[in-house]
Amino acid sequence: MTRLMRRVLPLAMAALLAACASVPPQKPPARPAASPSVSAELPALPATVSMPAPIPKMNVWDSLRSSFAMPDCNADPSVLQWAKRYTRDPQHFEKTLRAALPRLDYVRQVAAQYHVPGEFVLLPWVESHYRHVPARKGHPAGLWQIMPASMGSLNLRVDRYYDGRFDIRVATHAVMQLLEQYHDRFKDWRVADYAYNAGEFRLRSLIRDHGSPADEPVVPDLPVSKVTREHLVKLLAIACVVREPGRFHVQLPVLPAGERLTETPLAHSMSFAQAADLAGIPVTALRQLNPEFLGDTINATYTSYLVLPASAAASFRNAVPASISAVSRSATQGKTNNHAASVRHKTHVVSLGESLWQIARDNATSVTRLKQLNDLKGHAIQAGEVLQLDDVD
């Protein structure tokens, strides 16, 4: 190396290093923000890695708002008062609504089939906060708080093993059909709510005496009870919160698609433990979704479906064929010529006002026999109750 090169080379290297130091580091490109209602797209993974695809989230609120048909938050001061009362503890309100959301979404889908406004999707909030309130003698029960006297008119079956008031599909369709009939009769959804709380005959009598209510005031000026008037106010209030959640400092929850409730075909009777195992969910969760079955058995003679979250329904459907095969094999191995196996059960649904004596007379049997067949201690029966009669071949 020449003396000149030995002098120039260090200077060149220094200049090169200085130039590199002056170039700003390159930042990786920022990822676009994901939409709150759609899961962010995951990068492609190597073929050797197996990973379930993310389940998209379902926002039901825009659909619900678009179906509202009654006045908004500012319609009446009492509506705002109840809306504030519902949301005075925002965290508790959000938690309660999140727990109710799968049932709320299910009701929303049924209401759309009957063209019933979105406000009535929120009716179970007023009635029960979407909880299946247990039955007590003479008291309303279930999600919709259906009175015993209404079970017959709604064609709800109730006996020792099954209570239709707790069957979310049967009860919701019955209520939506009833509300649709109320609107056809009264031409006013506000009066339909009054009728749901106070009874159709009471409202028909009031309108006959006082005429149909005007559009104003929003809460119809009919001489109904305070409870009935407040029932409508509460319904408008919870709808108000859904309309303007930010006004009350609450956030409405988002429902993942995997949690949406679906009606899953039930091929044969099975225990709750077996069904829960097939669906991959706890027995307690399965009971909460299907509380209409009052024992430990899900009886396929009462219904042809189970209500399950979409994710569990897929597991159940995939597992059921193997379960059916096992049951068929067991039935074939245990087949006998016992005459009882060929017997069909004859039943009678109690109508409003019917007595044991009347039912016994109409079916050529005795009150004593009816009590024996149905394990009745007294003579009391309720409308909608299903009584077993003597078996027939």
Side-chain angles (χ1 to χ4, degrees):
M1 182 180 294
T2 65
R3 182 180 300 176
L4 177 61
M5 291 179 66
R6 285 197 300 269
R7 294 179 59 188
V8 172
L9 185 59
L11 294 174
M13 291 295 293
L16 178 61
L17 291 172
C20 291
S22 64
V23 176
Q26 296 297 314
K27 295 183 179 180
R31 293 182 180 181
S35 168
S37 61
V38 180
S39 299
E41 189 173 328
L42 296 177
L45 295 172
T48 55
V49 178
S50 177
M51 192 172 182
I55 299 176
K57 295 180 178 180
M58 177 68 62
N59 192 326
V60 304
W61 305 113
D62 287 341
S63 174
L64 189 59
R65 294 185 192 102
S66 68
S67 66
F68 284 164
M70 289 193 279
D72 62 16
C73 294
N74 300 316
D76 190 280
S78 61
V79 172
L80 275 178
Q81 289 173 6
W82 263 102
K84 292 175 181 178
R85 184 170 176 176
Y86 279 141
T87 57
R88 59 188 171 189
D89 184 343
Q91 187 174 5
H92 176 73
F93 173 83
E94 291 169 4
K95 181 180 178 181
T96 305
L97 191 58
R98 177 64 186 86
L101 190 52
R103 292 188 180 103
L104 185 154
D105 178 59
Y106 183 94
V107 172
R108 178 186 64 83
Q109 296 176 66
V110 176
Q113 297 177 35
Y114 293 88
H115 306 290
V116 171
E119 287 91 347
F120 290 97
V121 173
L122 303 170
L123 185 55
W125 176 274
V126 177
E127 296 288 344
S128 64
H129 278 36
Y130 292 90
R131 296 177 295 109
H132 289 289
V133 178
R136 289 188 298 152
K137 187 174 181 179
H139 288 75
L143 199 76
W144 297 97
Q145 287 289 272
I146 296 172
M147 291 293 295
S150 301
M151 294 186 299
S153 61
L154 292 175
N155 295 318
L156 297 180
R157 178 175 182 170
V158 179
D159 60 27
R160 291 178 296 162
Y161 310 105
Y162 170 89
D163 191 329
R165 292 174 295 178
F166 299 104
D167 188 324
I168 187 171
R169 179 184 186 275
V170 169
T172 300
H173 277 273
V175 168
M176 290 302 161
Q177 186 175 11
L178 182 68
L179 291 169
E180 182 185 43
Q181 291 172 357
Y182 286 164
H183 185 259
D184 288 345
R185 178 174 294 280
F186 299 116
K187 312 301 181 185
D188 190 323
W189 286 114
R190 301 170 303 163
V191 179
D193 182 76
Y194 274 6
Y196 187 83
N197 182 259
E200 178 184 358
F201 294 111
R202 171 65 175 156
L203 266 295
R204 287 170 63 180
S205 175
L206 288 175
I207 289 177
R208 183 178 62 248
D209 296 340
H210 301 276
S212 298
D215 293 341
E216 297 291 342
V218 170
V219 181
D221 191 14
L222 287 171
V224 295
S225 70
K226 179 182 177 181
V227 170
T228 298
R229 189 179 304 278
E230 197 170 70
H231 190 272
L232 175 60
V233 171
K234 290 178 180 179
L235 188 64
L236 295 175
I238 187 61
C240 166
V241 177
V242 171
R243 286 180 192 271
E244 303 181 50
R247 184 173 184 174
F248 305 97
H249 311 291
V250 296
Q251 292 186 343
L252 303 182
V254 176
L255 180 66
E259 294 184 23
R260 297 189 75 185
L261 298 184
T262 180
E263 296 161 15
T264 309
L266 179 68
H268 60 85
S269 299
M270 63 182 69
S271 68
F272 268 99
Q274 182 186 6
D277 183 60
L278 294 173
I281 60 176
V283 173
T284 52
L286 183 64
R287 284 187 176 277
Q288 289 172 358
L289 291 168
N290 300 272
E292 62 270 25
F293 299 103
L294 306 182
D296 293 327
T297 301
I298 301 168
N299 195 327
T301 62
Y302 288 90
T303 183
S304 60
Y305 60 87
L306 279 177
V307 173
L308 293 170
S311 56
S315 299
F316 186 84
R317 286 193 298 268
N318 292 334
V320 160
S323 171
I324 294 174
S325 298
V327 171
S328 298
R329 288 195 301 272
S330 175
T332 301
Q333 293 166 0
K335 187 176 181 180
T336 69
N337 292 322
N338 191 336
H339 174 72
S342 65
V343 165
R344 292 183 294 109
H345 295 292
K346 183 180 178 183
T347 59
H348 174 82
V349 180
V350 179
S351 299
L352 187 64
E354 275 193 315
S355 66
L356 276 180
W357 177 85
Q358 182 180 355
I359 295 169
R361 182 198 63 185
D362 293 344
N363 290 277
T365 187
S366 66
V367 171
T368 301
R369 180 59 176 158
L370 282 179
K371 292 172 66 176
Q372 180 185 11
L373 286 170
N374 295 278
D375 194 26
L376 298 174
K377 304 304 180 185
H379 289 75
I381 52 176
Q382 296 181 347
E385 186 174 354
V386 179
L387 297 181
Q388 182 173 323
L389 305 176
D390 282 307
D391 296 332
V392 294
D393 292 336

